[in-house]
Amino acid sequence: MAKIGFISLGCPKNLVDSEVMVGLLQKKGHTITADPAEAEILVVNTCSFIEASRMESIETILEAARLKNSGACRKLVVAGCLAERYPKQILENLKEVDALVGVNQIEDIVRVVSDEPVNLPDSYGRSDADLYLYDHTTPRALIGPRHSAYVKISEGCDHACAFCVIPKIRGRYRSRSIPSLVKEATRLASRGVKEIILISQDTTSYGLDFGMQDGLASLLEALAGIRPLRWIRVLYAYPSLFSDRLIGAMNSSEKICRYVDMPLQHASARVLKAMKRGGTRKSLSRLVGHIRKKIPGVAFRTAMIVGFPGETKADFLELKDFCREMEFDRLGVFTYSDEEDTIAGALYPKIPGRTAEYRRRVLMQQQKRISARKNRALIGQKLPVLVQGPARESDLLLEGRLQSQAPEIDGICLINDSEIDDVKSGRLYTVEITRAFDHDLLGRIVR
Ligand code: SF4
């Protein structure tokens, strides 16, 4: 039995893959260590979505490789999207890498650490039969906090966004069954998880692959019946699939977070068309307005891409004005990354990196003012907060999240006072907001 170290990069979907691999290895009796320096086997679960994440993955692999010379490491395994996309290039150029585990070979990790041969990932040659998706019977060990867990409801994607390589890496869309998801969520809740976060490439397509309409709505209603759960959050919604049935389901239980995460990517009809996403500024503002009217108090998160090939100054100003008008509660802005094997990779003119970066900064500056104003409006309000534990920046404070704050991507609520003794992590408390910052809040526990 080996001592194995895991480094998990990329999105929450990749984190779930890491947790499944850890679960499988622990079931086989292996020990998992949080300290890469003492690991005999190191697994780097990589991301390959855009240039920046690929660079981070390669740097992390090289860092891990150095441990083969200085630490206990005798075997270096690369898993995830980079392994799936560039198997041959990794083995040719990174000689320290001993084995690869693709995104559809998650369960091969057990054989790899036992030095058994496995096939190389082959995202081009694989068939549908090779596509992998864990279920409630698959061992899984939570790597993140004990009170909040991601649940992957499907894998792959059937959309064809011009800038995105994920369908090529992760394959066609395939959903898990509602009974399997309810069983997994029930087990997580029985282990103290208070918040589950439903993730996939597109949660609103859930169930379409087995002929279900509004599958996500039915899933939410089924999950809302799990007693110990307090919050059910949904990420990665797709604009054209956000139905009134889903809105109804989101309003059907206090447990379902009044939180919508819907990457819109742009607001110029011309750019949206080139991105193969469709829609116009008018149709998107109508959709956002409709959701806000039908789900009172909903927090709206979105993501935009600037610097897409052919994006003019006028397109950008329309996007900026749209974001000013919509006043999103949460906004992430990414600079376009030219990806081989994508439609956009062949589109011109390319926008210079510094122009794209300038546009990203301008949008985030505008958003900072919007976020600060919205946060100030919360001062004096008493709101439910899920306490996560000591603050990362100061052990004088606790940190938690409101329902309108998703982990890792949104701000937090710091807590510097309490009318309650012995505050416990993973519990919900009512917090009175006393101060507001650009993205974070400060408050005191009142009950
Ligand atoms: S919805 Fe579009 S951006 Fe998202 S994973 Fe699918 S193809 Fe990529």
Side-chain angles (χ1 to χ4, degrees):
M1 294 299 118
K3 199 177 259 188
I4 304 173
F6 257 82
I7 302 169
S8 192
L9 304 173
C11 66
K13 288 147 270 182
N14 228 25
L15 177 69
V16 172
D17 290 351
S18 296
E19 292 179 338
V20 166
M21 287 190 268
V22 168
L24 291 162
L25 292 168
Q26 283 180 333
K27 188 163 180 229
K28 282 285 176 193
H30 296 286
T31 311
I32 304 298
T33 172
D35 177 3
E38 65 173 40
E40 295 162 71
I41 299 177
L42 263 177
V43 182
V44 180
N45 193 11
T46 60
C47 175
S48 182
F49 183 42
I50 55 174
E51 176 73 13
S53 47
R54 253 197 317 287
M55 287 306 112
E56 184 198 14
S57 294
I58 293 167
E59 277 150 29
T60 308
I61 295 168
L62 292 172
E63 244 170 75
R66 279 190 280 280
L67 286 172
K68 281 185 84 176
N69 308 326
S70 63
C73 183
R74 61 175 175 76
K75 188 177 185 98
L76 176 54
V77 181
V78 172
C81 292
L82 194 78
E84 185 73 24
R85 198 171 173 197
Y86 301 112
K88 295 194 179 70
Q89 295 88 332
I90 293 173
L91 294 179
E92 275 158 25
N93 302 307
L94 299 169
K95 297 294 179 204
E96 301 85 350
V97 174
D98 300 290
L100 300 175
V101 174
V103 296
N104 293 300
Q105 300 166 288
I106 302 285
E107 305 211 356
D108 280 352
I109 189 71
V110 175
R111 297 175 53 202
V112 163
V113 300
S114 314
D115 303 325
E116 292 172 40
V118 295
N119 297 331
L120 271 187
D122 181 7
S123 56
Y124 294 96
R126 72 179 172 231
S127 73
D128 279 3
D130 303 326
L131 297 177
Y132 176 79
L133 182 54
Y134 83 108
D135 69 15
H136 63 286
T137 64
T138 315
R140 177 186 167 194
L142 295 186
I143 293 177
R146 291 282 162 272
H147 55 267
S148 179
Y150 295 103
V151 173
K152 198 192 274 190
I153 66 173
S154 68
E155 186 51 280
C157 188
D158 291 346
H159 295 288
C161 304
F163 51 81
C164 183
V165 73
I166 291 180
K168 288 207 172 71
I169 296 176
R170 296 268 172 176
R172 65 164 178 74
Y173 196 94
R174 58 244 191 234
S175 305
R176 292 175 55 190
S177 72
I178 290 186
S180 172
L181 289 161
V182 170
K183 283 190 185 116
E184 182 182 7
T186 305
R187 190 178 56 226
L188 289 168
S190 69
R191 293 185 184 163
V193 169
K194 294 284 181 293
E195 174 191 36
I196 58 166
I197 307 168
L198 307 185
I199 57 172
S200 83
Q201 310 300 349
D202 164 16
T203 46
T204 37
S205 284
Y206 175 75
L208 285 178
D209 51 314
F210 41 71
M212 241 178 139
Q213 286 306 320
D214 288 310
L216 182 58
S218 306
L219 173 60
L220 285 173
E221 286 155 359
L223 294 172
I226 302 172
R227 284 180 57 72
L229 278 184
R230 301 300 299 278
W231 283 355
I232 302 167
R233 185 183 303 277
V234 180
L235 299 182
Y236 308 106
Y238 196 87
S240 59
L241 298 163
F242 209 92
S243 67
D244 280 349
R245 168 91 173 80
L246 176 55
I247 289 175
M250 290 187 76
N251 282 330
S252 69
S253 163
E254 284 306 305
K255 289 182 185 177
I256 301 170
C257 294
R258 288 347 183 228
Y259 183 93
V260 169
D261 168 48
M262 183 187 288
L264 297 174
Q265 310 297 8
H266 214 283
S268 147
R270 216 179 58 75
V271 175
L272 285 165
K273 188 161 181 259
M275 285 179 166
K276 303 244 175 267
R277 289 187 59 98
T280 63
R281 176 178 173 166
K282 207 161 166 220
S283 69
L284 294 180
S285 36
R286 215 176 17 241
L287 173 63
V288 175
H290 180 70
I291 293 172
R292 281 179 166 159
K293 189 160 149 250
K294 295 287 184 185
I295 309 179
V298 69
F300 206 108
R301 158 172 268 278
T302 194
M304 300 293 182
I305 293 178
V306 290
F308 188 80
E311 182 189 60
T312 63
K313 190 169 178 201
D315 293 322
F316 171 66
L317 292 176
E318 181 170 20
L319 173 61
K320 180 170 178 273
D321 201 47
F322 173 69
C323 292
R324 178 196 55 71
E325 181 200 343
M326 289 292 111
E327 294 201 340
F328 293 110
D329 302 273
R330 318 273 176 245
L331 174 68
V333 183
F334 302 89
T335 53
Y336 168 75
S337 172
D338 218 19
E339 293 302 315
E340 62 183 36
D341 276 351
T342 62
I343 297 163
L347 294 180
Y348 293 86
K350 304 295 182 190
I351 308 301
R354 66 183 181 289
T355 307
E357 180 48 31
Y358 167 76
R359 290 175 179 174
R360 188 194 70 76
R361 271 205 316 276
V362 168
L363 268 190
M364 287 315 288
Q365 278 301 326
Q366 175 177 270
Q367 181 61 23
K368 200 162 99 175
R369 293 189 292 275
I370 292 169
S371 174
R373 192 172 57 248
K374 285 183 173 243
N375 276 353
R376 280 196 298 275
L378 295 177
I379 293 176
Q381 291 194 25
K382 295 185 171 83
L383 300 165
V385 167
L386 179 61
V387 171
Q388 306 199 124
R392 274 164 276 187
E393 265 113 50
S394 147
D395 47 20
L396 296 175
L397 301 171
L398 291 173
E399 74 175 51
R401 286 181 289 110
L402 276 68
Q403 219 185 57
S404 62
Q405 297 172 319
E408 308 300 328
I409 52 177
D410 295 335
I412 55 172
C413 181
L414 295 162
I415 295 160
N416 66 348
D417 188 10
S418 172
E419 291 178 13
I420 306 261
D421 299 330
D422 190 22
V423 175
K424 294 211 169 15
S425 299
R427 292 255 182 103
L428 278 166
Y429 294 89
T430 300
V431 169
E432 180 181 358
I433 306 301
T434 53
R435 276 188 71 187
F437 308 101
D438 294 336
H439 298 291
D440 298 334
L441 295 158
L442 180 73
R444 59 191 198 87
I445 293 177
V446 291
R447 63 180 173 272

